[in-house]
């Protein structure tokens, strides 16, 4: 009897071991089989293809620190041809296609630059030397820059400034790659006037999912050009972009104004962005806005002097929630004597809380590179490499008041967990090109709202839940928001996101990446 029992438990243990082995074989997807590895290692890129755990682990995380997907290998290209070799092999010769993702700085939040079991192309290894920033001039374009897809915007700025010129459209943070922001849109306070960064590109070199190296522009391969801009890395890897430049200003008048009334805040913001001609003297160069609360004061106090901070804090205590408009007017030697008057005229009829306007005069580079100061501060405090459950939305102007009531007042204030910056500022629809893949609301003016949360490693889910609640509120109340830096899991959600652009998006995928090799981390065509 005891023997029978022993036999039965042995059989059970063997069965369990076999089952777990079987399960691990099923779960462990191994697109890069041994024979595939051998073929890859026979390619001229073998010595720059890294399969060691240190390399693959480094490519399995991003700024969000929420998703973790381990690639099978990391390619560290030294020139675009290395990328062509990899993609062409995956497309033409590999019996089992494997996925490939370009990785800029991996400043994504939800694993968008990852390639689970595929190959991550570490764009930064292209370096600054071969494909840096070259400033050129032509009769038709004026000044422009040819820039490597792996270049950081800060490097583009430094190089172009040597020629007295600079790009006109920026992101708040400059340690992002050109290829990475052009795959999304590239937005900041300049967007209302100059359009997003994708509206300031003349031409690109792109390696498509078929391994073809193509130059594209509005005249040459236009379908590829428009698909790639805002295309979430789905159609090709950008190795060069030709960027529009303007005369670089020297300094900046930088102003912040506080509001306790949301309606005054939006009326003023919309009035400020209504002057948006590129050559219009009475237009501002930058308009943003944010939500000020006690809870997120770490993210907004540094602009203000110590004595102003005390006044500000008591105003926040009085109202719980304040809104801040932030504007900038750039100037140089030519406009030095007129800038103050111009600014005074632009700001004269605004309805901010009296006595709550603050002004600074800073160098142009310091203004553009302002987030770097905050980054270094957070790094010193050990608060940079923490989870970032961000949510970025484009909200139609017609529903921004409902958004304020439903989200800022009834979710954010009540939950009282929001940390980090909350951005809110409007943009003009006509500065975006509808032929591009980027998706925005169908109204003349729409707001970007960014919840740039930082959390602990244990509690990011709480923030994620709040983000979901915000999205649900919008859905239940018919507020047709579009996610910026979108994150969806199902085809239905992506179809809804792209709306009328979905068909073109699918057709472009079929044309430029028919085997669906590129940017699987976006989870548009590669679902789990
Ligand atoms: P990655 O995260 O590495 O890649 C993003 C996507 O682009 C992936 O799908 C990847 O496969 C693809 N990709 C990367 N390189 C290429 C390439 N060369 N060709 C084709 N596809 C490519 N965005 C704004 O618009 N405005 C802001 O002000 C702004 N501020 C930010 C501040 C911080 C602190 C952070 C972390 C992000 C900010 N972002 C902002 C978001 C940023 O634009 C995105 O994270 C974007 O993805 C750029 O990051 P990256 O260069 O590291 O790209």
């Amino acid at each position: 009897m005891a023997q029978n029992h022993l036999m039965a438990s042995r059989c059970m243990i063997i069965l369990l071991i076999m089952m777990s082995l079987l399960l691990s074989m099923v779960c462990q997807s191994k697109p890069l089989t041994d024979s595939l590895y051998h073929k890859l290692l026979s390619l001229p890129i073998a010595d720059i293809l890294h399969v060691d755990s240190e390399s693959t682990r480094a490519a399995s995380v991003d700024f969000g620190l929420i998703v973790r997907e381990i690639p099978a290998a990391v390619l560290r290209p030294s020139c675009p041809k290395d990328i062509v070799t990899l993609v062409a092999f995956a497309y033409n010769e590999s019996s089992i296609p494997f996925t490939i993702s370009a990785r800029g700085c991996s400043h994504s939040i939800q694993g968008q630059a990852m390639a689970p079991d595929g190959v991550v192309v570490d764009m930064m290894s292209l370096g600054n030397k071969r494909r840096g920033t070259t400033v050129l001039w032509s009769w038709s374009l004026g000044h422009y820059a040819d820039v490597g897809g792996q270049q950081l915007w800060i490097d583009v700025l430094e190089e172009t400034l040597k020629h007295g010129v600079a790009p006109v459209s920026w992101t708040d943070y400059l340690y992002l790659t050109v290829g990475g922001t052009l795959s999304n849109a590239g937005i900041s306070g300049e967007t209302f006037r100059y359009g997003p960064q994708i509206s300031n590109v003349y031409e690109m070199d792109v390696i498509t999912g078929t391994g073809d190296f193509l130059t594209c522009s509005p005249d040459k391969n236009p379908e590829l050009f428009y698909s790639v801009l805002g295309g979430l890395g789905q159609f090709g890897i950008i190795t060069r972009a030709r960027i529009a430049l303007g005369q670089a200003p020297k300094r900046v008048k930088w102003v912040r104004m506080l509001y306790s009334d949301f309606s005054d805040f939006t009326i003023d913001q919309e009035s400020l962005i209504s002057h948006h001609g590129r050559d219009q003297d009475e237009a501002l160069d930058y308009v943003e806005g944010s939500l000020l609360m006690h809870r997120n004061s770490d993210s907004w106090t540094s602009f203000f002097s110590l004595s102003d901070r005390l006044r500000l804090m008591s105003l926040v205590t009085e109202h719980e929630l304040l809104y801040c408009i932030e504007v900038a007017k750039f100037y140089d030697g030519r406009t030095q004597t007129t800038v103050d008057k111009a600014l005074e005229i632009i700001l004269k009829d605004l309805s901010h809380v009296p006595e709550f306007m603050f002004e600074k005069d800073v160098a142009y580079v310091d203004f553009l590179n302002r987030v770097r100061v905050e980054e270094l501060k957070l790094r010193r405090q050990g608060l940079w490499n923490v989870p970032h459950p961000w949510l970025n939305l484009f909200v139609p102007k017609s529903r921004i008041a409902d958004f304020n009531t439903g989200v800022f007042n009834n979710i954010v204030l009540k939950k009282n967990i929001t940390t980090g910056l909350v951005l809110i500022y409007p943009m003009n629809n006509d500065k975006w090109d509808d032929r591009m893949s980027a998706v925005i609301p169908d109204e003349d003016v729409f707001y970007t709202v960014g919840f740039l949360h930082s959390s602990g490693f244990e509690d990011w889910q709480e923030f994620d839940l709040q983000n979901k609640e915000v999205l649900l509120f919008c859905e239940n109340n018919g507020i047709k928001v579009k996610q910026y830096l979108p994150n969806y899991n199902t085809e239905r959600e992506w179809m809804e996101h792209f709306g009328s652009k979905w068909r073109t998006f699918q057709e472009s995928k079929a044309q430029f990446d028919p085997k669906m090799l590129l940017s699987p981390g976006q989870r548009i065509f590669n679902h789990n």
Side-chain angles (χ1 to χ4, degrees):
M1 179 76 176
Q3 240 180 0
N4 279 353
H5 187 72
L6 201 68
M7 279 283 283
S9 33
R10 267 195 195 148
C11 284
M12 187 62 96
I13 289 168
I14 291 169
L15 199 69
L16 278 175
I17 291 173
M18 283 176 66
M19 273 173 67
S20 70
L21 269 175
L22 208 66
L23 204 67
S24 77
M25 280 163 70
V26 172
C27 292
Q28 203 180 355
S29 68
K30 275 183 72 183
L32 290 194
T33 58
D34 284 352
S35 74
L36 199 53
Y37 264 132
H38 282 114
K39 279 190 197 162
L40 270 171
L41 294 180
S42 69
L43 296 174
I45 51 170
D47 58 337
I48 48 167
L49 204 56
H50 299 262
V51 293
D52 59 286
S53 60
E54 201 182 318
S55 302
T56 54
R57 222 180 302 128
S60 71
V61 286
D62 61 17
F63 183 75
L65 283 180
I66 290 167
V67 173
R68 188 179 159 82
E69 298 281 10
I70 301 189
V74 176
L75 181 79
R76 301 219 174 95
S78 58
C79 60
K81 195 160 165 271
D82 293 337
I83 308 175
V84 171
T85 305
L86 176 77
V87 183
F89 172 77
Y91 179 69
N92 293 315
E93 291 175 46
S94 166
S95 48
I96 313 165
F98 53 90
T99 57
I100 296 169
S101 188
R103 180 184 201 261
C105 299
S106 210
H107 273 119
S108 295
I109 298 300
Q110 300 277 358
Q112 285 93 336
M114 294 179 195
D117 294 316
V119 179
V120 165
V121 179
D122 176 5
M123 296 300 287
M124 303 309 285
S125 72
L126 288 168
N128 289 340
K129 282 173 257 147
R130 283 168 198 267
R131 284 271 178 184
T133 299
T134 312
V135 176
L136 299 154
W137 184 89
S138 76
W139 282 108
S140 56
L141 302 180
H143 279 103
Y144 60 89
D146 274 345
V147 173
Q150 79 290 355
Q151 284 273 285
L152 298 180
W153 284 100
I154 181 72
D155 296 328
V156 178
L157 175 64
E158 281 174 5
E159 194 52 41
T160 51
L161 280 181
K162 290 179 191 164
H163 303 261
V165 285
V168 291
S169 178
W170 292 100
T171 46
D172 292 338
Y173 179 57
L174 304 186
Y175 291 73
L176 304 168
T177 67
V178 169
T181 69
L182 294 187
S183 298
N184 286 294
I187 55 167
S188 182
E190 293 87 1
T191 307
F192 82 93
R193 183 168 177 193
Y194 298 98
Q197 290 179 323
I198 50 173
S199 297
N200 291 280
V201 180
Y202 296 129
E203 185 181 284
M204 287 178 289
D205 287 339
V206 173
I207 298 163
T208 66
T210 52
D212 292 302
F213 181 93
L214 298 175
T215 298
C216 59
S217 70
D219 303 320
K220 194 173 183 182
N221 297 313
E223 297 87 3
L224 181 62
F225 181 77
Y226 293 118
S227 300
V228 165
L229 292 169
L232 306 175
Q234 295 305 304
F235 312 108
I237 298 178
I238 304 163
T239 57
R240 178 186 64 94
R242 179 162 287 181
I243 309 283
L245 302 175
Q247 284 305 312
K250 291 268 184 288
R251 296 193 65 83
V252 176
K253 297 280 179 190
W254 185 10
V255 180
R256 287 192 186 179
M257 295 156 285
L258 297 197
Y259 290 74
S260 55
D261 183 89
F262 188 72
S263 168
D264 287 343
F265 167 74
T266 50
I267 287 171
D268 282 358
Q269 270 194 332
E270 287 163 28
S271 146
L272 291 171
I273 70 154
S274 66
H275 306 282
H276 53 72
R278 283 193 173 217
D279 300 319
Q280 206 174 352
D281 279 344
E282 64 273 26
L284 288 162
D285 293 292
Y286 168 101
V287 177
E288 283 205 2
S290 54
L291 210 62
L292 312 191
M293 296 174 289
H294 268 295
R295 203 106 198 140
N296 70 347
S297 60
D298 281 353
S299 67
W300 55 263
T301 42
S302 64
F303 179 89
F304 306 98
S305 71
L306 276 178
S307 57
D308 286 338
R309 277 181 215 176
L310 289 175
R311 285 202 304 134
L312 265 164
M313 281 308 193
S314 61
L315 196 70
V316 176
T317 308
E318 189 187 333
H319 295 280
E320 272 196 292
L321 202 65
L322 290 179
Y323 310 94
C324 173
I325 296 186
E326 178 181 35
V327 303
K329 181 96 182 137
F330 304 159
Y331 69 98
D332 54 20
R334 194 181 50 86
T335 47
Q336 192 173 350
T337 52
T338 53
V339 64
D340 282 325
K341 189 76 202 155
L343 197 58
E344 194 188 312
I345 294 169
I346 294 170
L347 304 181
K348 77 174 170 4
D349 291 326
L350 301 184
S351 312
H352 56 84
V353 182
E355 313 296 323
F356 280 87
M357 178 194 265
F358 307 87
E359 187 179 325
K360 276 184 180 183
D361 187 319
V362 295
Y364 178 59
V365 178
D366 294 339
F367 173 76
L368 290 183
N369 206 15
R370 60 200 177 276
V371 177
R372 180 66 166 175
V373 180
E374 304 301 322
E375 175 195 348
L376 296 177
K377 198 167 81 188
L378 290 171
R379 280 189 187 279
R380 280 194 299 275
Q381 297 168 343
L383 295 174
W384 184 255
N385 291 316
V386 295
H388 293 101
W390 285 11
L391 177 67
N392 286 280
L393 299 173
F394 292 145
V395 184
K397 170 189 140 175
S398 63
R399 303 302 305 276
I400 196 67
D402 299 326
F403 190 92
N404 175 55
T405 312
V407 175
F408 296 151
N409 287 309
N410 288 340
I411 298 178
V412 171
L413 263 189
K414 287 199 179 137
K415 274 211 165 358
N416 201 21
I417 60 165
T418 295
T419 56
L421 205 56
V422 182
L423 293 174
I424 165 163
Y425 59 92
M427 302 179 187
N428 294 304
N429 187 309
D430 64 1
K431 300 285 174 177
W432 296 65
D433 189 328
D434 199 37
R435 291 167 294 183
M436 294 174 186
S437 295
V439 180
I440 56 174
D442 187 18
E443 282 192 18
D444 290 350
V445 170
F446 61 91
Y447 280 77
T448 186
V449 178
F451 293 97
L452 311 184
H453 292 130
S454 305
S455 76
F457 284 88
E458 307 302 327
D459 64 350
W460 65 264
Q461 288 90 342
E462 215 183 317
F463 293 82
D464 203 41
L465 277 178
Q466 177 171 304
N467 293 342
K468 290 196 172 98
E469 202 176 323
V470 170
L471 291 171
L472 192 65
F473 168 81
C474 293
E475 194 181 322
N476 289 344
N477 290 278
I479 303 180
K480 293 195 166 45
V481 295
K482 294 288 177 193
Q483 281 192 38
Y484 179 56
L485 314 172
N487 169 41
Y488 296 110
N489 288 307
T490 65
E491 183 173 270
R492 190 187 60 81
E493 288 171 320
W494 282 111
M495 283 169 71
E496 270 172 30
H497 172 74
F498 282 107
S500 59
K501 289 190 179 182
W502 175 243
R503 206 179 158 156
T504 313
F505 201 82
Q506 270 186 315
E507 285 167 4
S508 296
K509 187 70 173 174
Q511 185 179 356
F512 301 115
D513 183 20
K515 290 195 178 171
M516 300 182 183
L517 307 179
L518 299 177
S519 278
Q522 300 277 4
R523 298 185 297 278
I524 303 175
F525 298 101
N526 317 66
H527 302 290
N528 291 332

